Amino acid sequence: MSVKQDQMLGFDEHDELVRPAPEMVEFEETAKSMVSRRGFLSGGAAVGATAFVMGSTTFAAGKALAGEESNKMSRLAFDMVKANTMDTVTVPQGYKWEVLASWGEPLFSNAPAFNPATGGTGESQELAFGDHNDGMALFSHNGRQILCVNNEYTNASTLHANRTDGVPTTADDVRKNKAAHGVTVVEVARRDGKWGIVKDSEYNRRITADTEMDITGPARGHDLMKTKADSKGVVAKGTWNNCGNGQTPWGTYLTCEENFNGYFSSSDKNYELTPQMKRYGISHEDRGYKWAMADSRFDLSKDPQEPNRFGYIVEIDPLNPTARPKKRTALGRFKHENAEVEVAANGHVVVYLGDDERGEFLYRFVSKNKFVVGGDNNDLLEEGTLYVAKFNDNNTGMWLALTPKSTGMSEAEIAIYTREAASKVGATTMDRPEWVASNPNKAEVYCCLTNNKNRGVKPNAGGDETPAGGPNPRVKNNYGQIVRWRPEGQDHTAPKFNWDLFVMAGNPAVYDDAYAGSKNVNKDNMFNSPDGLKFDSKGLLWIQTDGNYSNEKGFAGQGNNQMLVADPETGEIKRFLVGPKECEITGSAWSADRTTMFVSVQHPGEKGDSSWPNGAGSVPRSSVIAISREDGEMIG
Ligand code: FEO
Ligand code: CA
Ligand code: CA
Ligand code: CA
């Protein structure tokens, strides 16, 4: 691919291209599922699954969402930000923002200064804040604040500004590209009223695509994990495409490997891809990163098992800079979005996990051992059972265990070929599960199903059909929705749950049918493609979008990507922030005193039309921003 990366296909388009051409499928259910907007509004007598949007008999939620009474009752005490297409960050009156850190900023004083003209070198990038910041978590320790931030992927035109069309050309370009991926661990502080990174802190650390890490869990040492460089299958080199994240109660950071497939290629164009490679979108062509040019482990024809070592959750101890990260294969291998950790009432640790690809699944891990306050909890994610969700149309659902008995696969095979295992037990194909967030006030969990243009159109990469229905009610779903479920008996380890849809995004200015969205979406607060999701300490739900920012046709009036806040009790949703041009808003964390909220602004100007945050004529840079109130009060 000799195209500028910024003009490259998106991850999903790349997958569709490399995947064997699926047959078009006609679903009879399509017509039935095309319910009317009237259906949402009546909230009970609707046709099909959308009867279960807010205020259903299962979850008695919605009061009137508009009008004086709800304003008086609102817990969202700020003036909503209007949708816009400006090249800046907009927050409500009474709030302010500043940049905390940007791609390329040195973490150490011996590192060269950021060079916007070239995008730096391999060496400078290894000592600097990574690109495309995404999920993050803050760790407070002895009055110090350590932020772990994912660096998902790269903006070729800026990172490789030293090359024509942003194409990595030399071994050092590949080194730089690999170093721009992974995780940045950095101490942060507010000094003289301004947030910034603490240069040379002993906690500062870069974890990149070349950092050694231990493989743990069922896949450790399995034949499928053995490679040329690691004949025992126990040490993997690096992590990349780190999307969402998690944070454990025992003080570790979880980083989630998402579109790991797009970095592999084959120099032998006749190399026969296995069905398992195809299921994960691994193909002869990479997505333009060209890592195989300088590192043969990315060449499938030379090291075909290397991809089996990626697509996992990685656990990092941010307070021990020399501790090796651990790949937790018990949590499965797929395109991991985030990892939402709950300690169930019975002490088992539950991790909710989404696989972000059209028609893939939603998972739950339950640890074998129990969390003990003050005990040694370091290896709770090493052993346990993985489950996959099955949603029934009648608002009920079940977690299906992935075991040797239910799948006919060994524990190691389940860990490595998790998608195949989930297909075997008949899990529900979802509209791209992105972040999962668990309500701190009750046993209730939310997941963004960001969008799925293939819903009701074609099967997933494993051939599982994707009929419209249940929590994925709309064919050609361009807007997305948020599903929520309550485990039976308020027990996160229970086999059953009830579910409903908290919101269906849409555009009521353009449509008056199902694509208008649910009743808590209106012309003033509308959005598309919910992605990031997190609860604050008050139990309010922060929703971030990674969607279509064309502001045209079906997306007219929705402006740039944004962050909204929702009240899970009333269903009320208000827009809190609008990002700069061509960005997505993703990932969040709060300062120890909760007067500051940190948010990732990722890939501003991904198509070339932004100079945020440094202003006219400068290269756009992914950055973490710090948002606070003018009056210094808590923000969430
Ligand atoms: Fe990296 Fe599914 O977002
Ligand atoms: Ca992203
Ligand atoms: Ca995401
Ligand atoms: Ca997304």
Side-chain angles (χ1 to χ4, degrees):
M1 275 186 234
S2 61
V3 289
K4 204 167 166 177
Q5 185 168 4
D6 310 83
Q7 295 161 355
M8 281 169 23
L9 300 169
F11 289 111
D12 307 302
E13 281 64 38
H14 179 254
D15 282 342
E16 297 215 339
L17 195 75
V18 302
R19 192 172 116 180
E23 310 248 323
M24 295 293 282
V25 179
E26 288 285 340
F27 289 110
E28 282 180 37
E29 295 90 330
T30 299
K32 276 194 282 178
S33 299
M34 289 292 290
V35 296
S36 68
R37 176 157 169 85
R38 231 184 127 94
F40 306 142
L41 294 168
S42 63
V47 198
T50 39
F52 305 119
V53 175
M54 284 297 295
S56 72
T57 49
T58 318
F59 292 18
K63 297 175 187 159
L65 296 170
E68 235 172 82
E69 193 187 342
S70 66
N71 279 341
K72 260 188 250 158
M73 307 282 290
S74 179
R75 290 206 292 153
L76 309 180
F78 60 88
D79 291 332
M80 182 150 70
V81 171
K82 285 195 168 66
N84 69 67
T85 57
M86 294 188 288
D87 195 25
T88 188
V89 173
T90 328
V91 292
Q93 206 167 17
Y95 292 80
K96 57 183 179 178
W97 66 273
E98 61 185 311
V99 171
L100 171 75
S102 298
W103 157 62
E105 186 169 345
L107 304 180
F108 306 96
S109 45
N110 66 345
F114 173 67
N115 184 341
T118 63
T121 63
E123 187 193 10
S124 70
Q125 186 59 66
E126 283 169 359
L127 300 169
F129 200 83
D131 200 0
H132 277 45
N133 42 265
D134 203 303
M136 66 178 103
L138 185 121
F139 297 82
S140 184
H141 180 65
N142 290 342
R144 299 170 73 173
Q145 302 185 67
I146 297 113
L147 194 66
C148 294
V149 188
N150 287 344
N151 298 113
E152 190 181 28
Y153 61 109
T154 54
N155 179 327
S157 67
T158 55
L159 184 72
H160 299 297
N162 54 332
R163 304 293 169 210
T164 315
D165 291 337
V167 179
T169 309
T170 65
D172 193 67
D173 291 344
V174 171
R175 178 180 167 192
K176 174 165 74 171
N177 195 295
K178 285 160 110 182
H181 285 74
V183 180
T184 300
V185 183
V186 60
E187 183 174 352
V188 298
R190 187 187 235 161
R191 290 172 294 203
D192 301 327
K194 189 171 168 26
W195 279 102
I197 66 173
V198 178
K199 247 189 198 179
D200 299 320
S201 163
E202 69 261 38
Y203 297 114
N204 291 359
R205 177 184 190 187
R206 281 303 322 279
I207 292 164
T208 73
D210 281 323
T211 304
E212 285 198 346
M213 38 196 77
D214 293 328
I215 297 169
T216 80
R220 179 179 171 85
H222 190 272
D223 279 350
L224 287 167
M225 302 295 270
K226 295 175 181 169
T227 61
K228 280 194 174 154
D230 176 23
S231 62
K232 294 188 175 140
V234 293
V235 178
K237 216 174 161 194
T239 182
W240 55 83
N241 215 282
N242 306 78
C243 184
N245 72 289
Q247 190 168 16
T248 68
W250 53 94
T252 58
Y253 182 72
L254 304 178
T255 185
C256 310
E257 298 175 349
E258 192 184 22
N259 294 291
F260 66 91
N261 56 308
Y263 299 78
F264 294 94
S265 58
S266 177
S267 57
D268 173 4
K269 298 305 169 200
N270 296 318
Y271 176 79
E272 199 168 332
L273 300 166
T274 65
Q276 288 86 1
M277 287 177 177
K278 290 179 183 168
R279 180 70 191 267
Y280 286 93
I282 292 158
S283 81
H284 292 105
E285 300 292 334
D286 72 9
R287 210 181 141 259
Y289 298 104
K290 300 197 175 295
W291 289 3
M293 176 177 72
D295 189 345
S296 64
R297 68 189 168 110
F298 294 95
D299 186 336
L300 298 167
S301 59
K302 294 182 179 151
D303 224 347
Q305 304 215 129
E306 183 70 1
N308 293 342
R309 296 138 64 87
F310 302 91
Y312 295 105
I313 300 292
V314 181
E315 186 168 10
I316 294 166
D317 183 350
L319 301 183
N320 288 307
T322 57
R324 283 159 78 100
K326 293 175 178 174
K327 294 222 172 188
R328 297 305 193 186
T329 68
L331 277 65
R333 176 170 169 261
F334 41 89
K335 294 182 180 175
H336 278 286
E337 185 67 25
N338 80 324
E340 180 72 341
V341 181
E342 264 292 345
V343 178
N346 58 18
H348 291 280
V349 173
V350 173
V351 189
Y352 292 104
L353 307 153
D355 182 354
D356 179 10
E357 187 174 317
R358 297 182 183 113
E360 289 296 339
F361 308 120
L362 178 68
Y363 296 85
R364 178 186 77 170
F365 168 84
V366 180
S367 68
K368 179 178 175 228
N369 296 318
K370 294 183 180 183
F371 175 75
V372 179
V373 178
D376 179 5
N377 299 296
N378 287 330
D379 287 319
L380 283 175
L381 302 184
E382 192 163 337
E383 220 179 332
T385 304
L386 201 55
Y387 298 80
V388 65
K390 181 173 172 57
F391 291 82
N392 302 314
D393 281 351
N394 67 354
N395 279 118
T396 65
M398 275 204 67
W399 291 105
L400 309 173
L402 302 179
T403 64
K405 197 174 168 198
S406 68
T407 63
M409 298 162 70
S410 71
E411 283 186 4
E413 287 166 340
I414 292 166
I416 299 165
Y417 298 139
T418 310
R419 286 180 166 181
E420 190 181 331
S423 287
K424 285 188 176 187
V425 300
T428 300
T429 59
M430 307 297 284
D431 285 350
R432 296 186 53 197
E434 298 249 28
W435 289 62
V436 182
S438 183
N439 190 332
N441 295 331
K442 58 172 86 163
E444 181 180 86
V445 193
Y446 292 65
C447 177
C448 287
L449 302 171
T450 195
N451 57 54
N452 182 1
K453 67 176 188 184
N454 294 343
R455 173 63 59 187
V457 176
K458 63 182 186 183
N460 72 9
D464 303 314
E465 291 194 345
T466 66
N472 311 284
R474 292 178 293 187
V475 297
K476 296 179 185 167
N477 173 19
N478 284 326
Y479 293 110
Q481 63 269 8
I482 298 178
V483 64
R484 65 177 170 184
W485 61 94
R486 289 180 183 162
E488 192 173 55
Q490 300 175 46
D491 172 7
H492 284 285
T493 66
K496 292 183 183 168
F497 58 85
N498 291 314
W499 65 270
D500 76 353
L501 292 179
F502 176 66
V503 62
M504 297 185 73
N507 192 329
V510 174
Y511 294 104
D512 60 4
D513 58 11
Y515 300 100
S518 52
K519 66 179 180 180
N520 48 350
V521 167
N522 55 55
K523 288 174 190 170
D524 295 324
N525 72 357
M526 63 182 175
F527 59 97
N528 73 84
S529 307
D531 183 334
L533 200 64
K534 201 167 275 185
F535 274 98
D536 67 18
S537 62
K538 298 175 191 159
L540 296 176
L541 185 62
W542 295 74
I543 303 166
Q544 301 171 315
T545 73
D546 172 23
N548 186 312
Y549 45 72
S550 66
N551 208 33
E552 289 177 350
K553 298 181 183 162
F555 305 99
Q558 301 195 331
N560 296 344
N561 276 306
Q562 53 186 284
M563 181 164 75
L564 310 102
V565 197
D567 184 336
E569 299 305 319
T570 63
E572 183 186 14
I573 299 172
K574 281 169 82 170
R575 186 182 301 107
F576 180 87
L577 174 151
V578 177
K581 289 185 175 184
E582 301 179 355
C583 78
E584 78 170 87
I585 301 296
T586 179
S588 56
W590 282 267
S591 62
D593 64 5
R594 298 193 89 87
T595 61
T596 301
M597 183 179 191
F598 302 107
V599 170
S600 274
V601 177
Q602 195 192 70
H603 63 66
E606 65 173 349
K607 293 176 182 162
D609 185 18
S610 170
S611 54
W612 187 89
N614 299 129
S618 62
V619 298
R621 295 165 78 184
S622 290
S623 303
V624 174
I625 59 169
I627 305 164
S628 55
R629 288 171 55 133
E630 303 272 9
D631 63 9
E633 293 293 311
M634 295 204 310
I635 191 174

